[in-house]
């Protein structure tokens, strides 16, 4: 029996990306691998998709592996930074991603996964954006669809409805 390829989508541009990362790791650890083939799909802060090499899912935080240290500028206080602090152009972003996995074009998702398990949080994760993209690509996903997500992200509107 062929295993169902489950794309675990986590990371993203939201400030809640670390919660998303922890959620993605939990799903990866607990997915029944006898039935499902987990595909780790990291979304960086620029919105790029990358099939993440599995060992990175066990780092403490996203900043522990992305951006890789060789791409970091000298930092006076040894602070960890997110990739958007690098002001990298698209070509540089892809070079950085190649150090942690296989960068993907959005169109590649359809051939990589059968189902998306959404672990993204906040803007572009819980607001209907990723749901719309997956609907466009005809990839089924976990959680709410576009409209409930778009309404639910705004707590005041959600309460009014």
């Amino acid at each position: 029996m062929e295993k169902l390829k489950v794309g675990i989508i986590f990371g993203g541009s939201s400030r809640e990306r670390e919660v998303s990362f922890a959620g993605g790791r939990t799903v990866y650890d607990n997915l029944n691998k006898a039935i499902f083939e987990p595909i780790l799909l990291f979304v960086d802060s620029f919105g790029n998709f990358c099939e993440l090499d599995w060992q990175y899912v066990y780092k403490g935080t996203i900043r522990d592996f992305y951006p890789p240290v060789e791409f970091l500028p000298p930092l006076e206080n040894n602070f960890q930074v997110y990739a958007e602090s690098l002001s990298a152009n698209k070509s540089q972003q892809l070079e950085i991603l190649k150090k942690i996995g296989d960068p993907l074009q959005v169109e590649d998702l359809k051939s990589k996964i059968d189902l998306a398990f959404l672990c993204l949080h906040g803007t572009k994760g819980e607001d209907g954006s990723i749901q719309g993209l997956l609907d466009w690509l005809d990839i089924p996903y976990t959680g709410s669809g576009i409209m409930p997500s778009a309404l639910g992200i705004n707590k005041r509107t959600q309460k009014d409805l």
Side-chain angles (χ1 to χ4, degrees):
M1 177 173 114
E2 189 173 324
K3 295 179 184 180
L4 187 70
K5 295 181 286 185
V6 177
I8 304 167
I9 302 178
F10 63 94
S13 60
S14 164
R15 295 294 176 207
E16 297 178 61
R17 68 187 97 181
E18 295 295 350
V19 175
S20 171
F21 177 58
R25 178 177 38 243
T26 299
V27 172
Y28 180 76
D29 283 343
N30 292 286
L31 199 64
N32 184 341
K33 293 168 184 71
I35 303 170
F36 304 107
E37 178 185 349
I39 311 292
L40 292 166
L41 297 174
F42 173 64
V43 181
D44 73 5
S45 47
F46 300 110
N48 299 305
F49 284 79
C50 178
E51 185 174 347
L52 189 69
D53 292 342
W54 71 270
Q55 68 270 20
Y56 293 110
V57 80
Y58 292 110
K59 296 291 184 177
T61 69
I62 292 170
R63 290 176 294 182
D64 290 334
F65 67 90
Y66 186 78
V69 293
E70 63 262 32
F71 292 95
L72 294 175
L75 298 170
E76 186 177 311
N77 297 316
N78 293 323
F79 289 121
Q80 292 180 309
V81 298
Y82 285 112
E84 66 266 23
S85 298
L86 302 179
S87 302
N89 65 35
K90 188 68 169 180
S91 175
Q92 293 166 327
Q93 293 168 24
L94 295 177
E95 286 304 310
I96 295 169
L97 282 174
K98 287 178 185 176
K99 296 289 185 178
I100 62 167
D102 183 23
L104 301 172
Q105 297 298 315
V106 170
E107 305 81 37
D108 297 334
L109 294 176
K110 183 71 175 163
S111 65
K112 287 276 183 187
I113 63 174
D114 301 311
L115 171 78
F117 195 111
L118 300 180
C119 294
L120 294 171
H121 285 266
T123 307
K124 297 192 178 154
E126 295 177 292
D127 63 356
S129 299
I130 189 71
Q131 294 84 352
L133 174 66
L134 294 168
D135 279 349
W136 178 264
L137 295 170
D138 200 28
I139 298 173
Y141 52 88
T142 59
S144 302
I146 298 170
M147 184 62 78
S149 297
L151 294 173
I153 197 79
N154 184 315
K155 303 309 178 216
R156 169 166 260 155
T157 301
Q158 182 182 36
K159 184 179 177 194
D160 290 346
L161 291 174

